[in-house]
Amino acid sequence: MSAPGWSAVDDYIVDQLIGEDAVLDAALAHNREGGLPPIDVSPAQGKLLQLLAKGIGARRILEIGTLGGYSTIWLARALGEGGKLVTLELDPDYAAVARANIDRAGSGDAVDIRIGPACNTLEEMCAAGEAAFDFVFVDADKQNYAAYLDYAVRLARAGTMLVFDNVVREGGILDPDSDDPKVPGTRRLYEALKNNPRIDATAIQTVGRKKWDGFLLALVR
Ligand code: SAH
Ligand code: DHB
Ligand code: MG
């Protein structure tokens, strides 16, 4: 089936199972107005993240890579009363757009946006003895995915679920000699998880509005 077919099926899935959401649509519109790149997760993917987080009863969620907060809003809605989501973003202008989108979505109190290179922020969080997270969504610079795995494990408990975005890249992930640095970065994540005694993992390929890509899912033992 062709890429346009994948997109039409995503439209059907949204129509049948998800529905239009004015707040999330407004967030995407504000992202466009702010000149943010349209690289948010799709609605079907956002809801998948939400169902996974809700399904494990997550009360503390960590997100690495906020952009305009579209995935953040999906995940924040998985939290019950008193839940907390910490999301890390390099770009202060993106973070400002995200702050406004998340506040308008009514999730402002639950969401803490921390600005700066995520490795620095994560190092500070480890040093400060940050409480463990139940669910971690990694979607920032792919070059650092293996480092983000290490930090996620340091900030996890047994049973914490980790999800990494963009781990297939239209099959680009198969090319060990790719000159796109995102590919070796992502391949280092797979290598770190190969025969890893501390973490059970799989990856699922996805098609749809965001073309052919995939999620890597892992559970800390
Ligand atoms: N999760 C978002 C999309 C994130 S796009 C959504 O689905 O709605 C990836 C984001 O990671 C971008 O906003 C980019 O600025 C941010 N990023 C890139 N490098 C980073 C770094 N070193 N530290 C923190 N964030 C980074
Ligand atoms: C890019 C980043 C993403 O997280 C994504 O989902 C799609 C594209 C990018 O950097 O191009
Ligand atoms: Mg992504």
Side-chain angles (χ1 to χ4, degrees):
M1 193 188 275
S2 64
W6 299 339
S7 208
V9 172
D10 248 10
D11 295 346
Y12 178 76
I13 291 168
V14 168
D15 189 53
Q16 296 299 313
L17 304 177
I18 301 177
E20 296 303 321
D21 186 303
V23 165
L24 286 164
D25 290 347
L28 293 179
H30 288 115
N31 287 358
R32 273 194 299 277
E33 285 157 21
L36 275 59
I39 54 175
D40 343 69
V41 294
S42 71
Q45 293 172 338
K47 185 147 181 199
L48 173 68
L49 295 171
Q50 182 183 85
L51 292 177
L52 290 171
K54 202 169 176 181
I56 64 160
R59 294 182 49 80
R60 285 179 50 80
I61 297 176
L62 171 64
E63 176 179 67
I64 307 178
T66 317
L67 190 65
Y70 183 79
S71 55
T72 318
I73 295 168
W74 277 109
L75 283 168
R77 289 176 174 176
L79 292 168
E81 198 67 36
K84 195 82 204 163
L85 190 158
V86 178
T87 183
L88 313 185
E89 174 54 49
L90 175 65
D91 187 312
D93 296 328
Y94 292 1
V97 173
R99 182 79 267 165
N101 283 334
I102 293 160
D103 290 351
R104 270 189 297 260
S107 293
D109 290 346
V111 176
D112 184 2
I113 305 177
R114 301 193 189 164
I115 299 166
C119 284
N120 296 1
T121 310
L122 290 160
E123 194 61 51
E124 286 164 15
M125 289 166 73
C126 291
E130 179 91 31
F133 291 94
D134 307 305
F135 187 94
V136 183
F137 177 49
V138 183
D139 194 19
D141 50 323
K142 319 308 169 198
Q143 293 86 324
N144 278 317
Y145 264 25
Y148 295 147
L149 173 68
D150 286 342
Y151 283 116
V153 170
R154 284 168 69 184
L155 292 165
R157 56 166 173 82
T160 294
M161 181 177 287
L162 316 179
V163 179
F164 292 78
D165 194 20
N166 310 115
V167 299
V168 173
R169 315 200 67 83
E170 302 194 72
I173 194 65
L174 293 181
D175 180 7
D177 304 315
S178 175
D179 47 22
D180 176 357
K182 293 171 184 167
V183 168
T186 308
R187 287 174 65 94
R188 284 194 293 277
L189 171 70
Y190 283 93
E191 282 149 24
L193 289 165
K194 189 170 183 173
N195 302 320
N196 186 318
R198 279 201 69 188
I199 307 166
D200 281 322
T202 188
I204 284 292
Q205 303 186 67
T206 57
V207 295
R209 291 186 191 172
K210 299 290 165 171
K211 299 193 269 185
W212 174 25
D213 213 324
F215 288 116
L216 189 146
L217 289 90
L219 216 48
V220 179
R221 285 192 186 149

